[in-house]
Amino acid sequence: MATDTVTFSEKFKKKLKDFGPAFFIIGYVVGTGSVTSMVVSGAKYGLSLSWALLLSCFFTYFLLISISKLTIVSGETLMFNFKKMFGKPLTIFIVVALGVSIISSVIGVMGVVAEVSMEWISVKTSISFLNKPAIAIFFIAILIGLFWTGKHEYFIKAMSIMVGFMALAFIFTSIMVLKESGKAIIDFFPQLPTGDNSGLVIAGIVGTTMGGVCLASRSILVQEEGWGLQDLKKENKDAMSAMVLTFLISLAIMISATGTLYFSGTPVDDATDMMHALGPWAGDFALTLFTLGIIGAGLSSIFPNLLLFPWLIADYTGTPRNMKKPLYKLIVVIVALCGLIIPVLGGKPVWILIASQALSPFVMPLITLFLLILINKSEVMKGHKTSLWMNIALGATLIFNCYMLYVALIGLIKFIQ
């Protein structure tokens, strides 16, 4: 009697497929915005703001599993559930707020990508006819072309590999920093300077980790995976994997920046200053490695952003996510062209990107409150009651998000002033 044998390769591919949504979250969160926030945080404050990273990952885990369970039980995505329960005006407000977050992220990310790429070209080549707007136009044309043709799968994989190398480089650097810095661990946690605008950086750390757009997309991805009630344990494991890896990679970036920038007193005012976070261990290759990583992280995070705005609209309306619709194509092109704003008009992309990440906390209390109400509605959850511990966890998440809203508001006011 013949028996079916499953090869190691097939088992490995199945495991990867099972954790598809986790990889999407890691790839989306650990992008240019995350690298920028963690490097600036480490360079200015050492590991003193690592508590914000830890708490944001911790609370995001509970949001992910609650959103996933709501989607699985109700059969509807997050925004559609919001519209049904809380009406159109409030849901439209959330969708618009998330849309603003998407556009501001694209503006900041492309600004960083163009600046770092231009620095690499000026240092490593003799090309003199290129400038930041030309570089931004080149990358935007690639992204729009990939969307238009639908042939983006291999491109995203290639970008992910580049990001993976940069993440490994930061992990290696963080280990070397801890081993060879000659500093006591307490020195990595300095006191915050009085009167400094650390609120903007804190909000940026939380905003890039606990992004409202990422949470809304979680609901869409769970629905597309076709997960059912029997997959709740798999979903919980997926969410845990996403947050643990996000925390470890982000912490490694923060440690690297502390050891190489904070202890040497090197400020981070421009995107090119961030490449020094890889330290002397990468040698002359540091600039190339960081540039490739930033390009990979930038383009692999901008491309999902181009799709997420139409996804949110489809989520709200409860219609199929058909990216061939003329309206969706127009939205994608407009969002992509927003990436030209900083390269053309100028500005400091590092701080503009952090400020864009800090916008996310403005809508998170409302999303958390609505989610808490929905998962306790018997007509929505169809008899699948939410445990007391989960309600306590989400209640604590709501308090945390309200505090982060206050921190973000103060930080942005000081930044504008």
Side-chain angles (χ1 to χ4, degrees):
M1 182 177 177
T3 58
D4 294 330
T5 58
V6 181
T7 65
F8 174 79
S9 176
E10 290 172 337
K11 288 181 179 179
F12 183 70
K13 287 180 180 179
K14 185 179 183 303
K15 287 290 184 183
L16 287 180
K17 186 178 183 300
D18 287 343
F19 287 89
F23 288 136
F24 179 89
I25 290 173
I26 296 167
Y28 185 82
V29 172
V30 186
T32 304
S34 178
V35 171
T36 302
S37 297
M38 303 309 157
V39 168
V40 169
S41 175
K44 286 180 68 68
Y45 309 112
L47 297 185
S48 296
L49 302 184
S50 57
W51 62 268
L53 171 64
L54 176 62
L55 289 180
S56 60
C57 289
F58 177 73
F59 288 125
T60 301
Y61 166 72
F62 296 109
L63 290 172
L64 289 176
I65 60 176
S66 299
I67 289 171
S68 302
K69 186 174 181 179
L70 172 66
T71 303
I72 289 171
V73 173
S74 68
E76 305 289 354
T77 51
L78 189 64
M79 291 303 136
F80 193 76
N81 271 308
F82 281 1
K83 185 178 73 171
K84 283 173 59 178
M85 183 60 63
F86 305 106
K88 293 181 179 181
L90 285 174
T91 310
I92 290 174
F93 169 76
I94 294 175
V95 171
V96 171
L98 294 179
V100 171
S101 178
I102 289 170
I103 293 172
S104 61
S105 177
V106 170
I107 292 171
V109 169
M110 186 55 75
V112 170
V113 169
E115 184 170 310
V116 170
S117 300
M118 192 64 219
E119 175 70 10
W120 184 89
I121 290 171
S122 62
V123 171
K124 296 292 185 179
T125 72
S126 58
I127 298 173
S128 59
F129 62 86
L130 287 177
N131 54 27
K132 294 175 188 177
I135 293 171
I137 291 171
F138 172 72
F139 285 133
I140 288 171
I142 289 176
L143 293 171
I144 292 176
L146 289 167
F147 167 76
W148 219 263
T149 60
K151 298 178 180 179
H152 57 268
E153 183 179 350
Y154 292 107
F155 171 79
I156 295 298
K157 286 181 179 178
M159 295 298 101
S160 299
I161 291 171
M162 291 162 61
V163 176
F165 277 122
M166 183 178 67
L168 288 173
F170 273 116
I171 292 171
F172 175 75
T173 301
S174 66
I175 295 171
M176 297 299 293
V177 161
L178 292 172
K179 184 180 178 182
E180 300 184 7
S181 65
K183 303 284 185 179
I185 192 66
I186 193 68
D187 294 328
F188 282 78
F189 295 87
Q191 290 186 340
L192 297 181
T194 56
D196 196 82
N197 187 16
S198 60
L200 185 67
V201 180
I202 293 172
I205 292 172
V206 175
T208 190
T209 308
M210 189 188 285
V213 177
C214 191
L215 294 172
S217 67
R218 174 71 176 188
S219 177
I220 297 169
L221 291 168
V222 166
Q223 189 184 64
E224 289 193 342
E225 285 289 320
W227 282 348
L229 291 172
Q230 72 279 4
D231 298 308
L232 285 176
K233 286 186 177 179
K234 181 196 296 184
E235 180 276 321
N236 287 358
K237 190 184 297 183
D238 179 270
M240 177 66 75
S241 301
M243 286 300 98
V244 169
L245 287 173
T246 295
F247 173 74
L248 292 177
I249 295 172
S250 300
L251 183 64
I253 297 171
M254 200 180 285
I255 292 172
S256 300
T258 301
T260 57
L261 300 177
Y262 176 78
F263 290 138
S264 64
T266 304
V268 177
D269 294 318
D270 300 308
T272 52
D273 296 329
M274 295 193 295
M275 66 187 63
H276 301 297
L278 287 176
W281 297 283
D284 293 336
F285 189 58
L287 175 59
T288 300
L289 180 61
F290 187 81
T291 301
L292 290 175
I294 284 294
I295 291 173
L299 300 188
S300 62
S301 62
I302 289 177
F303 192 84
N305 269 323
L306 301 183
L307 303 179
L308 282 172
F309 210 155
W311 277 14
L312 287 172
I313 296 173
D315 187 4
Y316 169 80
T317 57
T319 55
R321 290 176 283 275
N322 180 8
M323 294 297 109
K324 293 182 180 180
K325 287 184 177 180
L327 174 62
Y328 291 169
K329 287 184 175 182
L330 178 62
I331 291 174
V332 166
V333 172
I334 291 174
V335 173
L337 291 176
C338 288
L340 289 172
I341 290 177
I342 292 179
V344 172
L345 300 180
K348 288 188 175 294
V350 167
W351 290 101
I352 291 173
L353 181 54
I354 290 177
S356 74
Q357 304 293 339
L359 292 175
S360 184
F362 280 80
V363 75
M364 283 309 303
L366 192 59
I367 292 177
T368 308
L369 177 62
F370 282 4
L371 179 62
L372 187 58
I373 294 171
L374 279 171
I375 64 169
N376 284 284
K377 285 282 185 180
S378 56
E379 62 266 32
V380 176
M381 297 306 291
K382 303 171 184 176
H384 297 277
K385 292 184 178 180
T386 302
S387 68
L388 174 62
W389 289 111
M390 181 55 68
N391 277 311
I392 292 173
L394 287 179
T397 304
L398 178 60
I399 294 171
F400 175 74
N401 281 329
C402 289
Y403 175 66
M404 282 301 110
L405 171 60
Y406 168 76
V407 170
L409 185 61
I410 299 299
L412 284 170
I413 290 174
K414 288 184 177 180
F415 175 70
I416 293 171
Q417 291 175 343

